Amino acid sequence: MMPFEEPEFSGKTAGRFAPSPSGRMHFGNIYACLISYLSARKKNGEWILRIEDLDRQRCKKEYSEILIDDLKWFGFDWNRGPQKKDGNSYFQSNRSDVYEQYFNKLFDSGLIYDCFCTRSDLFSSSAPHNSDGIPVYLGNCRNLSEKQKSEFLEKKLPSKRIMTPDCEVSFLDRHYGSQKINLFRETGDFIVRRADGNFSYNFAVVVDDALMGVTEVVRGRDLLSSTHQQIYLYEKLGFKPPQYFHIPLIVNEQGKRLSKRDKDLDMGYFRKNCTSEEIIGKIMFMCGFIEKEEKISLPEAVSLYDEKKLPAEDICKN
C-alpha cells in the first residue's frame, strides 16, 4: 500500500472551485466560481481548481478541456490544479488510490458496513424523508447476520455506509450562521462507497479538501445540508474541517436553480454574445457589490468584493 498522502498547507487562505465536467458551465456555475475566486484573492490567498470527474459516465475529458478553456477566457488563474505542477492529481478520476487508503482507515474503525438496499427499497419504505425528499436511512442493514449477507451477496454487490451518531453535528456557516442537525435522525447512515466501487461525493470531497489544504469552501446553499455529513467524515478521518461559506443560488423567474440544460445561459452562448467583463459586471451588480450594471475586470472585481453585501435570499437571473 502507498503511504498516506500528507495534507498540503501553504500557511495562507486556500479556496477552491471544484466543478463537475458533465456539460458546459452555465451562469450559476460562473457565479459560484467568481465568488469563490474573489473570496480567496481578497485575502491574498491561493485559489485551487479541482475537476470532480468521479462519475465516469457523465464526465468526459472533452468537457474538462472546454471547462478549463472557459475559465481561462474569463482570466481566472489558479495556483494549483490542471496544467500546473502535478496537475493530474487535481482530477478526481486519478485519485482512486488515495481514496482507497482513507476508505480503509474508516473501514478499520468498524463504522463501515455493507448495505444491500436499492433506491426503490428506500423510497418504498416507511422511513421519514428529509427536506430534500430523500429518505432518512434507518440502518436496515446495520446488523445483518453473516448468513443474511451471504444470501444478499448472491444477488447483488453492496454499497458501503458509515454509521452515524444519535447526537447533534454542528458547524458555523460564514453566511447562514449556526447549523446543526442530529445526523442519525435527519439523514441516517450515508453511503461512502457505491456498489459499483466508486466513492461518494461526500467522501471524496472531504479527502480532497483536507489533503489539498483547503481552508475555506465557498459554494451554493444547495450543498448546505450535506455539510453535516462532511463534518462527521472530517472528524472520523482525523482532519480539521475548513470554514464554510454557502452562497444564495441564481434562480430563474420560476424560482428554480439554473441547469446545464438551460443552453441559452451556458458558456457557449455567453462567449458568442458577451465579453467576460460584461458577465462579471452583471454578477457583481446582481450580488449587490456595485450600484449599477457595468463592465468590470477580474482585478477590479477583487477590489470591489464585499461578502457582507451578498444577500441571504436566492438571486433571480433576468
Side-chain angles (χ1 to χ4, degrees), residues 213-231:
V214 172
T215 64
E216 67 168 28
V217 171
V218 179
R219 61 188 183 189
R221 66 154 187 84
D222 53 320
L223 293 171
L224 192 61
S225 59
S226 67
T227 307
H228 298 91
Q229 296 175 336
Q230 293 168 23
I231 294 287

Side-chain angles (χ1 to χ4, degrees), residues 25 49 62-63 83 87 106 144 165 200 218 239 245 256 260 266 273:
M25 285 196 300
L49 175 62
E62 55 266 32
Y63 292 159
Q83 301 182 358
L106 278 184
L144 293 178
S200 72
V218 179
F239 292 130
F245 183 63
K256 295 182 179 180
K260 288 178 180 176
D266 76 5
N273 296 280

